[in-house]
Amino acid sequence: GAVVSQHPSRVICKSGTSVKIECRSLDFQATTMFWYRQFPKQSLMLMATSNEGSKATYEQGVEKDKFLINHASLTLSTLTVTSAHPEDSSFYICSARDLEGDTRGRDAQYFGPGTRLTVL
Amino acid sequence: LAKTTQPISMDSYEGQEVNITCSHNNIATNDYITWYQQFPSQGPRFIIQGYKTKVTNEVASLFIPADRKSSTLSLPRVSLSDTAVYYCLVGSPNTGGFKTIFGAGTRLFVKA
């Protein structure tokens, strides 16, 4: 149980195009999902918190108009990188919090496998 | 959010026990301590979580002293496949706006 999937696993696009990444919780409901970005040899950097049915909360320095997040259901959040540029090339990882885990008062957070974005 | 400090890297040999210590001096009363493992080009994988004393599961043990200002992840008899980055995080799902902030992590190299 507690599986999070991401699609696509790898994407290559031209500069100026937009790319959408999907994050799904396969066997549990997630009111909250998180999006991270990770550059080579670095730690994960939290970009935004995605809450089902409401606007995402972005971390300082992350452009909300460039990284559009939609959390339309309890099992799906999407990250759209708009007008991508080479500097947006990175490894994007999502995580989802298990709703039932929240009620137990413990952190039940599960991570997706990541999406490698390369912008040419 | 409590900040964590871990060694940047550690080396070990196959079959040895590895202990990675994490400092979290500002841990709050409601915070749990969670450890994740990450392989290159993969998402982090949950290893173990604890609040106090000792927790053990099929892959690791977590030791937390009474003051909870540090914790130690213990990996028994490591193998080459345990080479990865290990992250220690503290936080509480009961805190409004709870989110997970990753520190630098510890790169563990297991040698044959």
Side-chain angles (χ1 to χ4, degrees):
Chain A
V3 177
V4 175
S5 70
Q6 281 185 240
H7 179 80
S9 59
R10 183 182 297 268
V11 57
I12 301 173
C13 69
K14 293 182 179 180
S15 183
T17 61
S18 294
V19 175
K20 179 184 286 188
I21 302 171
E22 292 186 349
C23 176
R24 293 181 184 272
S25 57
L26 299 185
D27 50 6
F28 66 97
Q29 293 183 325
T31 55
T32 304
M33 291 183 173
F34 301 94
W35 286 96
Y36 298 83
R37 179 167 53 181
Q38 186 175 34
F39 294 106
K41 301 294 185 182
Q42 295 187 23
S43 184
L44 286 77
M45 184 191 79
L46 180 65
M47 299 174 66
T49 302
S50 170
N51 298 299
E52 186 266 337
S54 64
K55 292 183 178 180
T57 303
Y58 291 82
E59 294 300 300
Q60 189 173 8
V62 178
E63 300 175 57
K64 63 180 182 180
D65 294 330
K66 180 169 184 62
F67 299 98
L68 301 178
I69 292 172
N70 183 277
H71 194 158
S73 76
L74 287 173
T75 59
L76 173 64
S77 176
T78 60
L79 168 69
T80 301
V81 182
T82 62
S83 187
H85 291 284
E87 58 265 29
D88 298 323
S89 298
S90 187
F91 191 54
Y92 292 86
I93 305 170
C94 74
S95 70
R97 295 185 68 208
D98 185 341
L99 182 63
E100 289 194 4
D102 286 356
T103 62
R104 289 195 297 268
R106 305 187 67 174
D107 177 17
Q109 186 172 173
Y110 303 95
F111 287 82
T115 296
R116 175 75 59 190
L117 170 64
T118 302
V119 185
L120 303 176
Chain B
L1 294 168
K3 179 181 177 181
T4 60
T5 303
Q6 304 173 231
I8 295 298
S9 66
M10 295 181 67
D11 289 345
S12 182
Y13 288 93
E14 281 189 295
Q16 289 186 334
E17 177 185 77
V18 172
N19 296 308
I20 306 174
T21 298
C22 177
S23 296
H24 28 80
N25 292 319
N26 296 323
I27 189 169
T29 302
N30 294 330
D31 285 346
Y32 282 85
I33 300 157
T34 311
W35 285 80
Y36 289 89
Q37 175 192 56
Q38 186 184 29
F39 298 111
S41 296
Q42 294 186 26
R45 182 177 73 99
F46 174 90
I47 300 175
I48 197 166
Q49 182 180 81
Y51 183 80
K52 61 180 179 180
T53 63
K54 176 183 176 181
V55 179
T56 297
N57 61 23
E58 62 276 9
V59 298
S61 294
L62 178 60
F63 298 92
I64 306 168
D67 65 7
R68 304 202 323 125
K69 293 183 182 299
S70 67
S71 60
T72 299
L73 173 72
S74 181
L75 305 173
R77 297 181 298 282
V78 295
S79 63
L80 296 176
S81 62
D82 292 318
T83 294
V85 179
Y86 293 82
Y87 295 98
C88 158
L89 295 97
V90 297
S92 168
N94 295 318
T95 303
F98 168 73
K99 55 190 178 185
T100 301
I101 303 296
F102 281 78
T106 297
R107 292 183 178 274
L108 173 64
F109 296 94
V110 180
K111 306 173 185 177

